[in-house]
Amino acid sequence: MDTITHGIAGALIGKAFFTGHSTVSSPDAGSVATLAVTLGSVFPDIDVLAELLSRNDLAILQVHRSVTHSLLCLPMFAVVLAAAVRWYARRRERESPSWAVLTGLCAVGLASHILLDVVTSFGTMIWSPWNYTRVAWDLVFIVDFLLTGMVLVPQVLAWVYRQREHSFWRASRMAAFFLAAAVFVFWLAEA
């Protein structure tokens, strides 16, 4: 799955399940909670930097979807990401959920990333560094526009209907955008 889809899915999960939840006391803390889930959902793809730093042309095949995509390493990454989000919130003088809640939110984002990568044909080494076997359910290709659209549409609808008086024009623009995107993807697939 591509990083953009992971980020959209993380933001959707954060907004849908954790903004307005009893552990999130204010809208400010809700946006920090959404940030934590979104950051957790895009973080595992940081391993693509190995390809840039390595002289091995096959580094992307050996390293990508390895340790950063591991269920075994997930708790460690959740703690580190929660500390980073907490630092960011304090630096910006924003209210945030407790450190334990932030750790859980980052873990949810990381888990969503791992799960969405397991359903692709490329597979994910979810047990690394203990076992480097790629688990692949092979349900979707790595870049799946239908799945991206499914997680993007609720985000766009929330934006369209945020202000009722502007909703018709926003909906019209988004309909035109999605129609153009569908035509482009169709043209791309044909080519």
Side-chain angles (χ1 to χ4, degrees):
M1 196 72 43
D2 61 290
T3 308
I4 294 169
T5 303
H6 285 300
I8 295 168
L12 184 61
I13 292 167
K15 288 178 183 178
F17 295 108
F18 303 111
T19 300
H21 191 266
S22 61
T23 57
V24 180
S25 57
S26 71
D28 205 27
S31 64
V32 172
T34 300
L35 172 69
V37 179
T38 305
L39 181 63
S41 68
V42 297
F43 172 78
D45 281 341
I46 198 166
D47 60 6
V48 297
L49 295 177
E51 180 182 26
L52 300 174
L53 303 174
S54 175
R55 294 174 190 238
N56 182 356
D57 293 336
L58 298 176
I60 193 71
L61 294 174
Q62 294 171 341
V63 177
H64 186 52
R65 295 192 180 178
S66 178
V67 174
T68 59
H69 289 70
S70 170
L71 292 174
L72 301 176
C73 296
L74 184 147
M76 176 187 65
F77 290 129
V79 167
V80 170
L81 291 175
V85 171
R86 186 95 166 155
W87 173 83
Y88 173 80
R90 283 188 178 163
R91 181 133 171 109
R92 298 283 182 175
E93 297 178 358
R94 298 183 73 183
E95 184 182 345
S96 72
S98 69
W99 185 79
V101 170
L102 281 177
T103 301
L105 294 170
C106 291
V108 167
L110 289 162
S112 77
H113 185 113
I114 294 167
L115 180 65
L116 285 173
D117 276 353
V118 166
V119 301
T120 66
S121 54
F122 190 68
T124 305
M125 296 179 247
I126 61 174
W127 304 117
S128 65
W130 179 50
N131 183 343
Y132 290 97
T133 303
R134 286 188 184 270
V135 176
W137 293 345
D138 198 13
L139 299 174
V140 297
F141 185 63
I142 295 167
V143 177
D144 189 298
F145 293 112
L146 184 61
L147 189 59
T148 302
M150 286 173 23
V151 296
L152 184 59
V153 166
Q155 298 277 39
V156 171
L157 286 175
W159 175 76
V160 164
Y161 290 108
R162 184 173 53 199
Q163 295 174 327
R164 286 283 193 196
E165 62 274 4
H166 302 293
S167 62
F168 176 77
W169 296 111
R170 287 180 175 186
S172 300
R173 287 187 296 194
M174 287 298 101
F177 171 76
F178 279 112
L179 180 62
V183 168
F184 175 72
V185 169
F186 178 77
W187 172 80
L188 193 63
E190 286 279 316

